[in-house]
């Protein structure tokens, strides 16, 4: 399994495309973790509208991209972990 971690902060216009890109890969054993870092736009709603069992959304207060990556890293289940 490969875990993909996407830190998210106010990217409602591009997050759907990023998620769809990961989920459309030919390799299906993916654990996709989106860590919302306290977004103030509709980013969370966009992520929540995507129905795929490989996608997990974690919400946290704004702490910066490094903290969001670390949160995703701690939650990852994959043997390999990549950041997007």
């Amino acid at each position: 399994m490969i875990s993909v971690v996407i830190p998210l902060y106010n990217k409602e216009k591009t997050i759907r495309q990023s998620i769809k890109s990961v989920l459309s890969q030919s390799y299906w054993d993916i654990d996709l973790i989106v860590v919302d870092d306290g977004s103030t736009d509709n980013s969370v709603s966009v992520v929540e509208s995507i129905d795929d069992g490989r996608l997990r959304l974690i919400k946290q207060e704004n702490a910066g991209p490094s903290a969001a990556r670390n949160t995703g890293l701690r939650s990852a289940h994959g043997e390999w972990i990549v950041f997007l």
Side-chain angles (χ1 to χ4, degrees), residues 8 15 19 30 46 52 60 71:
L8 173 65
I15 188 61
I19 290 170
I30 293 173
V46 172
D52 192 301
Q60 68 180 29
T71 296

Side-chain angles (χ1 to χ4, degrees), residues 12-22 46 50 84:
E12 76 176 284
K13 294 182 180 182
T14 58
I15 188 61
R16 181 180 306 279
Q17 183 179 354
S18 297
I19 290 170
K20 292 295 185 179
S21 176
V22 172
V46 172
I50 299 171
L84 179 65

Side-chain angles (χ1 to χ4, degrees), residues 46-79:
V46 172
V47 176
E48 290 175 335
S49 73
I50 299 171
D51 184 26
D52 192 301
R54 299 171 292 169
L55 172 63
R56 291 188 287 143
L57 173 64
I58 299 171
K59 299 175 191 175
Q60 68 180 29
E61 290 187 25
N62 185 265
S66 295
R69 284 186 204 100
N70 288 335
T71 296
L73 181 63
R74 286 189 298 273
S75 300
H77 298 300
E79 180 180 352

Side-chain angles (χ1 to χ4, degrees), residues 1-5 27 29 31 73 76-82:
M1 175 180 283
I2 295 175
S3 290
V4 179
V5 177
Y27 185 80
D29 198 13
D31 172 37
L73 181 63
H77 298 300
E79 180 180 352
W80 296 92
I81 301 169
V82 295

